[in-house]
Amino acid sequence: MTQDIRTRYHHNGFCILKKPVLDSDCVSAARQGMDMIRAGEYDTGTPPEPSPWNPGDDPKALCKIEQPQQANQAIRALIGSSEIGKLAATITGAKMVQVWWVQLLYKPPTSDDGTAQTRVGWHQDWNYWRTTWAPSSELLTAWVALSEVTETSGPMQFVAGSHAWKEAGGGDFFSQHIDRSSFSVPEDQSWREIPAVMEAGGLSLHDKRTLHGSGQNTSDEPRCSLAIHLRTDKSRPADSEGHGLTRFIDDADMCPIIYGGRVDSAFVVAATPEISA
Ligand SMILES: O=C(O)CCC(=O)C(=O)O
């Protein structure tokens, strides 16, 4: 099993664990925490970071809320799960895994008439992070399902092998046109989309360069998830444009270390050489 997920992750740029990995009480509590944040109730006494969606905004639009662990205790507990850290360490071989940013993603059910703003355009996360982290930094995302994710609920779609496409093109998270024509597919590769369907408490892990996006939720239930962005000891903050995405890195509540321990006092380690795919 361990060897299998490691092999699949490195071959495809992602792996999907369909069966629950996380404790069901922890997942249910985080799901309730999600509803509280969406209603503007913060049991920590602090709101999340400024976000594209705020309480009172269109309930039929994709709800994306930044750093929800700042606003809710149950979400804070879930992102600190050692199971996630162990999985990330298993596939990367890391000595240390730390959460460095979290996004709450609630995709409401909408009719398939093309007007709902709930799609996520094809993109590579690295496109958004390249001015925040040193080029070769080892960064990945654990996407945790807080509800069942089916073929019809707008599951994430991963493009198999795209993490190794040197310059595929960056993409746009907020694009409503899931158009693949702007991406360069190497001649010896093909575009193959894999839906990340899973049960509540299941999760996927994907590399910073893997192309992914998602369509509309045409089921009857909301698709609820947390995207937990992770770094390993082979990473180094380098916020050249001052976006401040790594500003919480020394705050153990916001950015818990979920595997291993602090690597050195400056918490900045040498990064691996740039990949050469
Ligand atoms: O939830 C989605 O559909 C997209 C999430 C995403 O882009 C990410 O986790 O990096």
Side-chain angles (χ1 to χ4, degrees):
M1 155 83 171
T2 300
Q3 182 61 35
D4 186 39
I5 56 166
R6 190 184 299 140
T7 306
R8 279 190 281 143
Y9 180 86
H10 289 288
H11 185 70
N12 294 321
F14 65 90
C15 62
I16 302 165
L17 289 103
K18 296 188 179 188
K19 292 282 171 199
V21 171
L22 301 176
D23 173 70
S24 61
D25 289 342
C26 178
V27 172
S28 304
R31 172 69 197 272
Q32 280 170 22
M34 169 179 262
D35 292 341
M36 286 170 66
I37 294 178
R38 280 172 47 78
E41 293 164 28
Y42 311 129
D43 69 4
T44 57
T46 310
E49 286 297 292
S51 300
W53 193 97
N54 294 283
D57 282 354
D58 183 0
K60 292 285 180 197
L62 177 73
C63 163
K64 181 169 183 271
I65 295 179
E66 308 293 335
Q67 300 286 63
Q69 75 275 36
Q70 186 163 267
N72 184 267
Q73 300 284 0
I75 291 182
R76 193 174 287 185
L78 185 144
I79 65 147
S81 300
S82 59
E83 289 87 349
I84 301 173
K86 277 186 220 146
L87 278 167
T90 297
I91 59 175
T92 58
K95 295 193 190 76
M96 186 283 298
V97 177
Q98 184 184 21
V99 173
W100 65 273
W101 197 268
V102 181
Q103 289 161 335
L104 174 162
L105 293 153
Y106 175 98
K107 192 188 282 259
T110 46
S111 62
D112 198 11
D113 64 1
T115 58
Q117 303 277 304
T118 60
R119 297 177 181 83
V120 173
W122 295 115
H123 67 280
Q124 288 177 312
D125 295 333
W126 181 239
N127 197 35
Y128 296 97
W129 301 343
R130 57 175 77 241
T131 58
T132 297
W133 291 95
S136 50
S137 293
E138 188 168 53
L139 306 170
L140 64 162
T141 296
W143 191 99
V144 174
L146 302 184
S147 62
E148 188 186 9
V149 180
T150 63
E151 290 271 2
T152 57
S153 58
M156 265 220 287
Q157 304 276 348
F158 293 114
V159 180
S162 55
H163 64 307
W165 300 353
K166 185 73 177 158
E167 291 301 335
D172 176 9
F173 183 100
F174 290 103
S175 170
Q176 293 301 300
H177 307 287
I178 312 252
D179 176 10
R180 63 164 102 150
S181 62
S182 58
F183 299 99
S184 333
V185 182
E187 272 181 14
D188 58 343
Q189 303 283 316
S190 59
W191 184 282
R192 198 159 53 91
E193 297 168 17
I194 310 292
V197 296
M198 59 186 85
E199 295 176 24
L203 60 86
S204 60
L205 289 150
H206 68 267
D207 180 88
K208 67 181 182 182
R209 289 183 188 271
T210 305
L211 279 167
H212 57 286
S214 61
Q216 213 165 312
N217 177 1
T218 58
S219 75
D220 296 331
E221 299 294 332
R223 193 208 71 174
C224 303
S225 62
L226 294 171
I228 307 173
H229 301 308
L230 306 172
R231 66 179 297 214
T232 74
D233 47 294
K234 299 192 199 90
S235 64
R236 183 164 50 84
D239 194 0
S240 61
E241 291 184 2
H243 292 314
L245 285 180
T246 55
R247 65 187 177 278
F248 297 104
I249 213 96
D250 292 321
D251 179 336
D253 286 333
M254 295 288 280
C255 296
I257 294 175
I258 55 174
Y259 181 83
R262 246 176 129 84
V263 172
D264 66 18
S265 57
F267 206 43
V268 171
V269 295
T272 49
E274 182 64 276
I275 62 160
S276 56

